[in-house]
Amino acid sequence: MKADAWAPKALFDSAVQYEIPVFQRPYVWSEEDQWSPLWRDVQRLADKVIAAGESADTLATIGVHFLGAIVFKAKAPITGDVTRYEVIDGQQRTTTLQVMLDAAQKVLTELKFDDHGEALSELTCNRAKRFQGKPAQYKVWPSRSDRDAFAAVMSEDTDLAPFAEHRIIEASRFFQDEIRTWISGASDDADADADADVIAAQRAEALTDVLQSRLCLVAINLSGHDDDQLIFETLNDRGAPLLKADLIKNWIFQQGEKIGAETDNWPDRFWSDFDDDWWREETSQGRHMRSRIDTFLQYWLTMRTRDEVLTDDVFRKFTEYAADRMSASDRAEAFLAELLRDAEKFRLMAENPDGSEVGRFYFRVVQEFELAATMPLLMWIISDNHKVPEPQVRQALSALESWVIRRTLLRRTMKDVNKTMVSILGMLDENASEAIGTIVAGFLAVQRSEARRWPTDDEMVAEVPNLRMYGNIRQGRLRVVLEGVEHQLRTEYNEDVQIGHTLQIEHVMPRQWRTHWDIGLDESEAADRDRLINTLGNLTLVTQKLNGSLSHRPWTQEEAAVAAPTGKEAGRGKRSLLGKYSVLRMNKQLIDEHHEQWTDDDIRSRSVDLTKRICAVWAGPYAAP
């Protein structure tokens, strides 16, 4: 290994090309995080060069701006060809530097500073005729997903419309706009009396000087004995954050090259989907934000290894698990195909949670109950690699969903979910597909520890009606439970109508009951009612949230005529308003059965009834379908 400090002129001046391997991640730098800070540093240096004038001593003290490191390895030389290097690390800054040099060259040429433009063009293009029209004309040749956009932006007359939203095109546009504005003095406080042409000429010369000689990279040239992968892992603490998936991708392709696989087509066959922005987008995982691809890989490894995989161990666990499976070309391709199939299933489920058994589970348990810890088991169940029969999928997910909802309503701890899922995965073998529903339901049914027990119907009916639901359980989760009850009621009436997830929780007896619902309760009775109004029996769903003045009204029309004789919905009671603002079966039942009043005893009775219905919707142990 040899390390030197190189300016762009030293890095790009000869007939050279730095190739970014196909397995490297796509270009991801952005204006806010990288381009704008880089341009400010370049402009700051250029301003210092201008201020120094022709003083050699002052120019010598200006120094350089450090851009970071680039790690590369020489490829075997070919007579008549450019000198080629493979970039091991630093592809983001190398690509950005080329785009900025090209943007400056274009602007300088446009503004008639031809000599300066030509000087910079020598750093972006290998000018020999034998290289023209070929990839060899470029000093940098990006990875597959960025090549077309890079070639388009580096050309003089290529239509950029097809790549308008590509990061490389956006980078070129950003640097051209900033350079053009700065050289022309259009947005600064330059001396108003100074000659604009003189200022522009000074800036053009200073910018060329900075871009050629005052940006510094530590160029690390590896020998044939250096460990590329180890260096790649340890040098990624600058620039855009490196995902676990980037390390894994790099390892996969290097392994492919070691076993002699045809890796040139691997990006298109096995990895191009992962380069999509959707996979790199960060989503909430508990208290943390993580990219979808890193999250998927963690769940996938947990599913495959049947062991809990911590976030920081994803790369190490992957290499350990995949090493044997990547030992031969045919095995490696079969392994990567399985990974891709599971990824496609994961994305389809995440983007389109539908009314299927799987879609409902994902929406209810993973999204609303925020139990992503169930994902490894869910992924095993739905994987096309396992071909689980639909009845077994239904039985497994019904049992698991019931276990989650019952424990949540009873306020049982959910801290052991990760280990519970791993325990179930540990019971699955290659023959488990035909019986996984029975395996999951049976495992949950026999658990006896408080951290894992599956609550029975008797426990539910004994405890749920007395527990505070509103305020202790998130409204989205309560909505899922009440929606399940509503769906069951509609099924009883043979109504095959799907209800959306926009319904809102409403108290039947309002929390501010003292305004119109006080029947002379003493202090103890009032305290009991304050507790009672937040229990299950006093909660319902409405399609439109009732505002305070309507929601707090008395139950009947007669009482409302006295309490609210004028204004909006004059004379309407709470019972009438529920009928107007809701078409749900649970509210029709409530209205039909309680014409005259809604009392504390009615709340208690309805709490028991709703709990029994919940037990029917989410069957308990030994009763799961």
Side-chain angles (χ1 to χ4, degrees):
M1 179 192 299
K2 182 181 180 182
D4 295 291
W6 285 5
K9 191 168 184 178
L11 197 65
F12 300 123
D13 200 29
S14 60
V16 65
Q17 185 176 83
Y18 296 89
E19 297 180 359
I20 297 172
V22 294
F23 55 79
Q24 295 279 23
R25 60 177 171 168
Y27 185 71
V28 297
W29 276 19
S30 65
E31 176 179 343
E32 181 178 358
D33 295 329
Q34 286 91 19
W35 308 334
S36 186
L38 174 58
W39 169 246
R40 288 197 298 269
D41 289 331
V42 170
Q43 183 181 336
R44 174 181 55 80
L45 276 177
D47 285 336
K48 287 185 176 181
V49 170
I50 294 171
E54 297 182 3
S55 171
D57 291 340
T58 306
L59 286 170
T61 64
I62 292 175
V64 298
H65 174 65
F66 177 63
L67 287 178
I70 172 176
V71 184
F72 53 86
K73 193 171 188 176
K75 302 186 74 171
I78 300 175
T79 303
D81 193 13
V82 294
T83 300
R84 297 181 183 273
Y85 297 97
E86 183 176 66
V87 178
I88 306 302
D89 183 61
Q91 74 273 22
Q92 301 289 323
R93 58 179 56 89
T94 307
T95 303
T96 302
L97 186 54
Q98 276 290 297
V99 171
M100 182 169 62
L101 287 167
D102 178 73
Q105 177 267 320
K106 285 183 168 67
V107 172
L108 290 170
T109 302
E110 169 194 320
L111 298 179
K112 308 303 182 185
F113 298 107
D114 296 331
D115 289 346
H116 298 311
E118 183 179 12
L120 294 183
S121 72
E122 293 171 357
L123 304 183
T124 61
C125 184
N126 295 312
R127 294 295 180 182
K129 289 183 179 180
R130 65 183 183 279
F131 303 141
Q132 299 312 297
K134 303 175 184 177
Q137 70 180 305
Y138 303 111
K139 301 284 188 179
V140 169
W141 192 229
S143 58
R144 185 182 297 265
S145 61
D146 294 326
R147 285 176 184 172
D148 290 344
F150 181 82
V153 83
M154 301 295 285
S155 301
E156 297 295 331
D157 53 3
T158 303
D159 180 15
L160 301 182
F163 314 102
E165 296 184 2
H166 196 286
R167 287 284 180 90
I168 286 179
I169 305 300
E170 292 176 355
S172 176
R173 188 181 303 121
F174 168 81
F175 286 119
Q176 287 190 52
D177 289 345
E178 292 295 323
I179 292 168
R180 186 180 297 107
T181 299
W182 180 68
I183 290 180
S184 66
S187 62
D188 60 22
D189 56 357
D191 188 348
D193 296 329
D195 188 302
D197 291 339
V198 172
I199 292 176
Q202 290 175 336
R203 291 182 173 180
E205 183 174 359
L207 178 63
T208 303
D209 176 40
V210 169
L211 294 180
Q212 283 183 313
S213 307
R214 297 185 184 276
L215 299 179
C216 180
L217 297 101
V218 173
I220 303 174
N221 191 353
L222 303 182
S223 70
H225 303 291
D226 292 318
D227 189 331
D228 304 3
Q229 178 68 27
L230 179 62
I231 292 170
F232 179 77
E233 293 171 34
T234 56
L235 285 177
N236 278 284
D237 59 349
R238 300 180 61 88
L242 193 69
L243 305 180
K244 303 295 184 186
D246 295 320
L247 293 173
I248 288 172
K249 177 183 178 183
N250 186 67
W251 182 86
I252 285 173
F253 281 83
Q254 289 207 2
Q255 286 297 112
E257 291 178 356
K258 287 180 181 178
I259 61 177
E262 296 181 4
T263 56
D264 284 348
N265 62 23
W266 278 19
D268 290 336
R269 293 176 60 194
F270 303 122
W271 205 268
S272 60
D273 288 351
F274 290 129
D275 288 333
D276 187 271
D277 285 344
W278 185 87
W279 282 106
R280 304 186 76 88
E281 183 180 345
E282 291 189 336
T283 59
S284 175
Q285 299 294 316
R287 300 187 304 273
H288 305 287
M289 297 295 291
R290 296 180 58 214
S291 69
R292 284 194 181 95
I293 187 170
D294 280 1
T295 301
F296 161 74
L297 288 168
Q298 182 180 8
Y299 296 154
W300 188 82
L301 282 169
T302 300
M303 173 189 73
R304 283 292 187 123
T305 63
R306 303 172 192 180
D307 192 11
E308 189 172 1
V309 176
L310 301 179
T311 302
D312 291 340
D313 288 341
V314 169
F315 173 66
R316 180 178 61 83
K317 288 282 190 180
F318 186 94
T319 58
E320 291 175 356
Y321 177 74
D324 183 60
R325 294 162 178 82
M326 294 280 297
S327 60
S329 180
D330 56 343
R331 294 194 67 200
E333 294 192 353
F335 170 71
L336 294 175
E338 290 179 358
L339 172 66
L340 184 59
R341 281 196 294 272
D342 286 336
E344 290 170 346
K345 203 80 172 185
F346 175 90
R347 180 168 184 173
L348 181 64
M349 178 175 56
E351 287 188 313
N352 303 292
D354 54 22
S356 67
E357 196 76 37
V358 173
R360 283 195 300 272
F361 182 92
Y362 184 84
F363 172 76
R364 290 170 173 175
V365 176
V366 178
Q367 290 189 340
E368 292 298 327
F369 280 71
E370 298 180 289
L371 276 179
T374 61
M375 281 296 296
L377 180 57
L378 174 61
M379 289 169 61
W380 198 103
I381 293 169
I382 68 172
S383 172
D384 289 338
N385 299 315
H386 298 141
K387 298 180 173 58
V388 178
E390 279 301 315
Q392 289 296 309
V393 172
R394 188 161 50 250
Q395 182 180 9
L397 296 187
S398 294
L400 188 54
E401 187 175 312
S402 169
W403 181 82
V404 167
I405 287 178
R406 286 175 176 236
R407 290 188 63 84
T408 300
L409 291 179
L410 290 175
R411 306 290 291 160
R412 302 291 196 261
T413 179
M414 303 302 286
K415 293 181 179 179
D416 200 43
V417 176
N418 285 24
K419 293 180 180 178
T420 302
M421 297 303 105
V422 168
S423 295
I424 296 174
L425 287 167
M427 300 172 64
L428 307 180
D429 56 29
E430 59 185 17
N431 299 316
S433 298
E434 298 297 325
I436 189 170
T438 304
I439 292 172
V440 172
F443 176 87
L444 295 175
V446 300
Q447 298 306 301
R448 293 295 176 261
S449 72
E450 285 305 311
R452 292 189 177 186
R453 286 186 63 253
W454 188 359
T456 64
D457 289 359
D458 289 344
E459 290 176 274
M460 293 287 287
V461 174
E463 297 182 46
V464 168
N466 301 311
L467 295 175
R468 173 175 178 153
M469 294 291 160
Y470 192 91
N472 278 350
I473 297 177
R474 293 183 183 179
Q475 292 191 41
R477 299 173 187 179
L478 289 174
R479 185 179 64 244
V480 165
V481 172
L482 292 175
E483 284 174 353
V485 172
E486 174 65 19
H487 180 73
Q488 188 213 40
L489 286 169
R490 290 182 179 225
T491 302
E492 290 178 2
Y493 285 91
N494 297 315
E495 295 179 5
D496 187 17
V497 179
Q498 295 293 325
I499 56 176
H501 303 300
T502 58
L503 301 174
Q504 301 183 51
I505 304 294
E506 176 72 17
H507 287 76
V508 181
M509 181 184 292
R511 284 179 291 173
Q512 282 73 37
W513 56 268
R514 288 173 175 81
T515 306
H516 299 302
W517 296 65
D518 192 347
I519 53 175
L521 302 180
D522 62 29
E523 185 175 342
S524 175
E525 292 170 329
D528 186 56
R529 174 174 284 186
D530 283 336
R531 180 196 62 80
L532 196 63
I533 59 172
N534 289 311
T535 59
L536 184 62
N538 195 47
L539 304 178
T540 190
L541 295 171
V542 290
T543 51
Q544 177 179 331
K545 188 71 174 175
L546 306 182
N547 66 42
S549 63
L550 302 182
S551 179
H552 301 158
R553 292 190 183 198
W555 183 246
T556 66
Q557 302 286 70
E558 293 75 17
E559 294 169 309
V562 176
T566 61
K568 186 177 181 181
E569 305 286 1
R572 282 184 177 271
K574 182 68 176 283
R575 176 177 177 274
S576 175
L577 290 171
L578 279 175
K580 177 178 180 180
Y581 287 101
S582 178
V583 295
L584 302 184
R585 275 288 172 185
M586 70 169 61
N587 289 334
K588 180 173 174 54
Q589 185 182 66
L590 191 154
I591 291 166
D592 289 345
E593 295 177 1
H594 301 278
H595 291 273
E596 303 299 329
Q597 58 184 353
W598 178 250
T599 67
D600 296 29
D601 286 339
D602 293 328
I603 294 175
R604 295 185 182 95
S605 176
R606 185 168 178 265
S607 285
V608 173
D609 179 65
L610 287 179
T611 301
K612 290 178 178 178
R613 288 191 175 277
I614 289 169
C615 290
V617 175
W618 290 282
Y622 305 112

